[in-house]
Amino acid sequence: MNADHRVPGPFVEVLTVAAPGLVAGYRFPGGRPGPTLLVALSDALLDPVSDRMAALPTLPWMRGVLDLVRLDAVGWGDWTPPGPTDATLSLPVHDATAAAVREGYWSILRMCTRMGMIDGRGVALR
């Protein structure tokens, strides 16, 4: 992915690797202080899951920070998470079927609820 990659929403920051300008992922900063969740996703899931997260109308009121990062970015020598993380979640599914995108999205919402980042009304905690 290159630096010309689109931003999925108005409250979303693009995380890049400095030298080649590759997009490593996206940062969803909440409007209030709180924990940071780092989610590592496959390339196939990064954009569709980011788009679903960015479509949440209450995202700006989230507590803390949500970082969605490409799985392989963690192995890039010059990339490190932009700050300390309180928890990590890995979603290594390598296809972007509707079911995989939906499950990835709900997995993130469940983790955000458990961490107190969102109230989680309507999120089944299984």
Side-chain angles (χ1 to χ4, degrees):
M1 293 187 189
N2 61 32
D4 298 329
H5 202 59
R6 64 180 179 69
V7 177
F11 299 102
V12 182
E13 300 169 17
V14 177
L15 303 175
T16 61
V17 176
L22 295 175
V23 172
Y26 303 104
R27 170 165 272 205
F28 295 81
R32 295 180 280 170
T36 298
L37 172 60
L38 175 70
V39 181
L41 302 105
S42 66
D43 285 348
L45 286 182
L46 180 62
D47 285 334
V49 171
S50 295
D51 289 343
R52 282 198 70 172
M53 295 304 298
L56 284 171
T58 57
L59 187 68
W61 293 282
M62 176 179 66
R63 292 175 289 279
V65 176
L66 174 63
D67 289 332
L68 302 183
V69 179
R70 294 172 53 183
L71 274 170
D72 65 346
V74 178
W76 294 344
D78 59 348
W79 189 85
T80 58
T85 58
D86 296 293
T88 58
L89 176 65
S90 180
L91 301 174
V93 176
H94 291 284
D95 59 1
T97 64
V101 171
R102 185 174 49 253
E103 182 56 33
Y105 170 79
W106 286 106
S107 294
I108 293 168
L109 291 179
R110 282 191 293 274
M111 188 68 153
C112 287
T113 301
R114 286 185 192 106
M115 293 178 67
M117 297 170 73
I118 60 174
D119 292 335
R121 288 185 285 277
V123 177
L125 294 179
R126 295 192 210 175

